[in-house]
């Protein structure tokens, strides 16, 4: 993919070929909302299927959840979204347009001034629309969409569309743990719609108001429990290359790095080049107050390097918050921990308690909380910590579209040049896997054979039937759709059962039997 790709060119192709349409275009559109057409919805489905297969189906330690979009309002109080999920916004007093203060400053090479929970604009900030300096001071704008449950629209019936899928996993943790027959460490995955009332949606589908997420909450023992069970906690210094399978002695630091590597490996597996992926490790004030570490996996979009996925070590913050607000216990009983603690004599218990208290108070936590935590550990109980890989489906779809887009100049035997537009999707996420063409449509026997082959292949993959126009034109249409292969049924097919298989990227053609074609596609698609 050329980094000089013009997003308007990509958007034009996406509309022309049925990847992405502006929502409500018939009525002038609505900003920040997008519809996925016939090819786009297949692309997104393939992305989600690939993610689910990698994160859930091929692992024994992850289960799934599908929760509602609207949940009890207290969930968002507990998570902090109701009071603190906000962006700073500014209004231009002259043209009356509204902008996110941090984005406005970033675009103008300035730095937004932060003073506690408040913000201020630096000198030199101007309205991006009209150039005026007559801007309001930044003020918080809650990003959640508000709605009402039931027939009466008053505050007692107020609710929100979820701004993320993760909180449902935490709210349902007790039920999942009781029914999934899993032990810590294990994960819960969820995909689904989320909604954020972005002040300034931009960069095509990258920042939208309605979008899909693919999130995993991977629950682990606190390091203190691991120390009691294993005698030591494995850190990155002990295992910097993450050699071998996950071990019981892994601490949060190793688990976090493990999931960073797992996610990077998956992005490469679905076709994003390693050279276009970057890691940004948050530091200092960038980290949430409860996070021990957070890394953003970023992709080099034509409009700049931007986040695809965040992978955070969130400690026990989320479950503890829901325990506090709901009054329900969110801890788990760990028989292995109980047995390990039971083997300690009084002196060992005392020494362990002192180390934990010193560590906690050194990180600014109250001594009484540390002692209560240790007492629970000795009883075999703790609130699990969590590693959270959180990816945006729509952002990833856009990255794959950008990465796939290519223009190629072809020269035929007579020296005539032609421009070919091709979407070079990895076969696993390509919307259409195979185009099937009859060489001609006016020969009943050949046509019937082509339909027979198409019906057989369509049961395995999403295939596309095309009988209209010259073969070359049909190939070009499939190139723009990103279809990896095209199979042409011709007169030789009637003689020996072989078809002509044309490769999208090399444009090379080979003759294969249908069984050979099936074996090839099975191997390539995975």
């Amino acid at each position: 993919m050329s980094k000089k790709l013009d997003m308007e060119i990509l958007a034009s192709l996406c509309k022309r070929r049925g990847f992405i349409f502006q929502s409500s275009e018939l009525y002038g559109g609505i900003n920040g909302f997008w519809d996925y057409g016939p090819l786009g919805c297949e692309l997104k489905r393939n992305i989600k299927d690939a993610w689910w297969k990698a994160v859930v189906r091929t692992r024994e330690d992850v289960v799934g959840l599908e929760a509602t979009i609207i949940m009890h309002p207290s969930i968002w109080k507990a998570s902090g979204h109701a009071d603190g999920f906000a962006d700073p916004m500014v209004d231009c007093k002259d043209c009356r347009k509204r902008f996110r203060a941090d984005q406005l400053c970033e675009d103008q090479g300035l730095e937004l001034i932060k003073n506690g929970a408040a913000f201020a604009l630096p000198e030199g900030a101007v309205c991006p629309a009209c150039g005026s300096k007559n801007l309001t001071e930044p003020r918080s704008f809650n990003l959640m969409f508000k709605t009402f449950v039931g027939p009466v629209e008053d505050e007692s019936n107020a609710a929100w569309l979820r701004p993320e899928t993760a909180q449902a996993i935490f709210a349902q943790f007790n039920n999942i743990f009781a029914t999934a027959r899993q032990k810590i460490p294990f994960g819960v995955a969820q995909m689904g719609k989320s909604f954020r009332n972005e002040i300034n949606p931009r960069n095509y589908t990258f920042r939208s108001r309605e979008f899909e997420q693919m999130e995993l909450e991977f629950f682990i023992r606190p390091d203190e429990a691991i120390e009691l069970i294993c005698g030591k906690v494995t850190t990155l210094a002990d295992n910097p290359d993450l050699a071998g399978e996950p071990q019981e002695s892994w601490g949060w630091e190793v688990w976090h790095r493990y999931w960073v590597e797992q996610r990077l490996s998956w992005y490469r597996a679905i076709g994003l080049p390693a050279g276009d992926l970057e890691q940004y490790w948050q530091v200092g004030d960038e980290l949430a107050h409860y996070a021990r570490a957070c890394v953003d996996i970023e992709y080099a979009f034509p409009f700049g390097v931007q986040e695809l996925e965040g992978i955070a070590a969130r400690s026990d913050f989320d479950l503890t918050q829901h325990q506090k607000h709901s009054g329900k216990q969110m801890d788990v009983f760990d028989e292995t921990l109980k047995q390990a603690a039971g083997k300690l004599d009084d002196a060992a218990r005392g020494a362990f308690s002192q180390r934990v208290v010193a560590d906690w108070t050194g990180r600014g936590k109250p001594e009484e909380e540390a002692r209560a935590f240790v007492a629970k550990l000795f009883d075999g109980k703790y609130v699990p910590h969590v590693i959270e890989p959180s990816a945006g489906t729509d952002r990833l779809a856009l990255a794959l579209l950008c990465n796939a887009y290519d223009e190629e100049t072809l020269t035929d035997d007579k020296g005539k040049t032609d421009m070919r537009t091709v979407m070079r999707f990895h076969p696993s996420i390509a919307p259409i896997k195979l185009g099937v063409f009859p060489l001609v449509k006016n020969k009943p026997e050949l046509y019937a054979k082509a339909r027979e082959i198409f019906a057989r292949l369509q049961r395995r993959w999403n295939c596309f039937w095309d009988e209209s126009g010259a073969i070359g034109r049909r190939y070009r249409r499939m190139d723009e759709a990103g279809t990896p292969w095209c199979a042409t049924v011709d007169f030789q097919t009637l003689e020996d059962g072989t078809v002509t298989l044309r490769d999208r990227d090399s444009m090379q053609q080979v003759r294969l039997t249908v069984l050979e074609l099936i074996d090839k596609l099975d191997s390539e698609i995975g």
Side-chain angles (χ1 to χ4, degrees):
M1 185 273 294
S2 170
K3 294 298 181 293
K4 295 182 179 179
L5 171 63
D6 187 327
M7 292 303 295
E8 290 188 6
I9 292 176
L10 180 65
S12 175
L13 179 137
C14 286
K15 181 178 180 181
R16 184 174 75 253
R17 286 301 180 205
F19 284 99
I20 301 172
F21 307 131
Q22 173 72 53
S23 176
S24 311
E25 183 181 324
L26 185 65
Y27 292 93
I30 178 169
N31 194 23
F33 297 89
W34 301 92
D35 296 337
Y36 288 80
L39 290 181
C41 67
E42 291 289 344
L43 175 66
K44 277 189 70 175
R45 181 177 295 276
N46 291 342
I47 292 169
K48 292 185 288 185
D49 286 348
W51 184 86
W52 195 259
K53 180 180 179 181
V55 173
V56 182
R57 290 285 173 83
T58 58
R59 300 184 64 100
E60 297 181 53
D61 57 355
V62 177
V63 297
L65 176 71
E66 184 172 334
T68 58
I69 287 172
I70 295 176
M71 298 185 290
H72 197 289
S74 294
I75 287 176
W76 306 115
K77 277 284 187 183
S79 68
H81 287 82
D83 300 319
F85 190 61
D87 278 339
M89 69 175 184
V90 295
D91 292 319
C92 177
K93 297 178 181 179
D94 292 334
C95 69
R96 299 186 181 279
K97 291 190 175 181
R98 177 171 291 172
F99 308 94
R100 263 182 58 173
D102 55 337
Q103 292 177 353
L104 180 149
C105 291
E106 180 184 342
D107 291 345
Q108 296 175 23
L110 304 171
E111 187 170 342
L112 185 65
I113 300 169
K114 186 175 182 181
N115 183 16
F119 296 92
L121 288 175
E123 289 291 330
V126 299
C127 172
C130 70
S132 171
K133 291 188 176 182
N134 194 15
L135 301 172
T136 64
E137 285 300 310
R139 58 195 186 280
S140 291
F141 172 76
N142 194 294
L143 298 177
M144 290 198 295
F145 282 100
K146 196 171 188 178
T147 187
F148 297 91
V149 177
V152 180
E153 293 189 7
D154 60 27
E155 286 305 308
S156 64
N157 293 316
W160 289 282
L161 304 185
R162 66 184 181 196
E164 64 175 37
T165 60
Q167 290 306 317
I169 296 174
F170 299 125
Q172 289 288 7
F173 175 78
N174 284 344
N175 284 329
I176 296 169
F177 190 68
T179 59
R181 300 189 66 189
Q182 292 280 346
K183 295 180 179 179
I184 306 293
F186 84 103
V188 183
Q190 181 171 209
M191 301 185 296
K193 291 277 191 179
S194 295
F195 304 82
R196 296 181 185 178
N197 195 10
E198 294 282 355
I199 299 168
N200 186 27
R202 59 179 185 169
N203 290 332
Y204 197 26
T205 59
F206 180 82
R207 191 175 297 280
S208 304
R209 290 178 168 129
E210 178 181 333
F211 54 95
E212 285 194 83
Q213 289 181 290
M214 304 179 294
E215 293 195 294
L216 169 67
E217 305 303 327
F218 195 81
F219 298 97
I220 59 175
R221 290 167 169 147
D223 280 9
E224 295 87 348
I226 294 169
E227 182 181 344
L228 285 174
I229 293 169
C230 301
K232 68 165 291 184
V233 178
T234 298
T235 67
L236 283 176
D238 303 314
N239 188 10
D241 299 323
L242 302 180
E245 294 296 313
Q247 300 296 314
E248 191 171 40
S249 63
W250 279 13
W252 73 267
E253 184 186 33
V254 184
W255 273 116
H256 181 250
R257 181 63 66 86
Y258 167 83
W259 277 109
V260 171
E261 296 302 324
Q262 289 287 306
R263 301 303 303 133
L264 284 168
S265 176
W266 182 75
Y267 282 116
R268 294 190 294 266
I270 63 170
L272 290 184
D276 287 343
L277 295 171
E278 298 184 15
Q279 298 178 50
Y280 179 77
W281 289 79
Q282 296 182 18
V283 296
D285 291 342
E286 295 174 318
L287 280 171
H289 66 88
Y290 50 80
R292 287 182 161 181
C294 184
V295 61
D296 296 334
I297 296 178
E298 300 178 325
Y299 174 74
F301 288 94
F303 47 80
V305 177
Q306 298 286 341
E307 178 189 350
L308 286 179
E309 174 168 353
I311 304 165
R314 297 176 63 95
S315 68
D316 61 354
F317 172 78
D318 300 279
L319 290 181
T320 299
Q321 283 295 103
H322 288 295
Q323 178 174 272
K324 185 185 304 181
H325 283 258
S326 69
K328 308 288 177 57
Q329 291 299 308
M330 304 295 284
D331 51 22
V332 299
F333 175 72
D334 191 323
E335 179 63 37
T336 305
L337 173 63
K338 175 69 173 176
Q339 292 178 2
K343 296 177 182 178
L344 299 180
D345 58 26
D346 290 344
R349 285 188 171 222
F352 177 82
S353 298
Q354 287 179 358
R355 289 199 305 272
V356 172
V357 170
D359 176 56
W360 279 45
T361 54
R363 290 188 280 127
K365 293 188 175 183
E367 179 178 339
E368 59 271 20
E369 287 188 13
R371 296 195 179 281
F373 170 73
V374 171
K376 280 206 165 189
L377 284 183
F378 290 156
D379 287 336
K381 295 180 181 180
Y382 54 81
V383 174
H385 289 220
V386 71
I387 308 295
E388 179 192 73
S390 176
T393 314
D394 302 83
R395 290 185 175 187
L396 177 52
L398 181 58
L400 290 165
L401 285 163
C402 291
N403 181 72
Y405 186 91
D406 192 19
E407 293 178 354
E408 184 178 28
T409 301
L410 304 177
T411 304
D412 63 20
D413 296 338
K414 299 178 181 179
K416 183 179 178 181
T417 61
D418 185 26
M419 181 69 73
R420 180 174 81 124
T421 300
V422 55
M423 300 297 287
R424 301 186 190 275
F425 293 120
H426 188 280
S428 66
I429 57 94
I432 301 168
K433 308 304 185 191
L434 180 71
V436 180
F437 312 150
L439 181 63
V440 293
K441 60 181 180 180
N442 59 353
K443 299 294 182 181
E445 187 180 2
L446 188 150
Y447 190 88
K449 186 65 175 178
R451 290 298 302 178
E452 175 192 323
I453 292 172
F454 172 74
R456 181 177 179 182
L457 299 174
Q458 179 75 344
R459 289 195 292 268
R460 303 180 71 92
W461 308 288
N462 185 31
C463 300
F464 188 83
W465 172 266
D466 194 348
E467 62 184 54
S468 175
I471 287 293
R473 291 177 63 86
R474 287 184 253 178
Y475 285 156
R476 293 300 172 84
R477 289 196 289 261
M478 287 291 95
D479 289 344
E480 285 195 335
T483 306
W485 303 281
C486 295
T488 300
V489 178
D490 54 24
F491 293 103
Q492 188 175 336
T493 310
L494 301 178
E495 297 175 5
D496 61 15
T498 64
V499 299
T500 299
L501 187 69
R502 183 254 196 183
D503 182 84
R504 175 197 65 203
D505 295 333
S506 69
M507 296 186 292
Q508 297 298 309
Q509 300 183 14
V510 295
R511 293 204 71 88
L512 299 174
T513 66
V514 174
L515 285 178
E516 290 171 336
L517 183 154
I518 289 172
D519 286 343
K520 176 178 174 60
L521 268 63
D522 271 339
S523 174
E524 296 280 350
I525 294 170

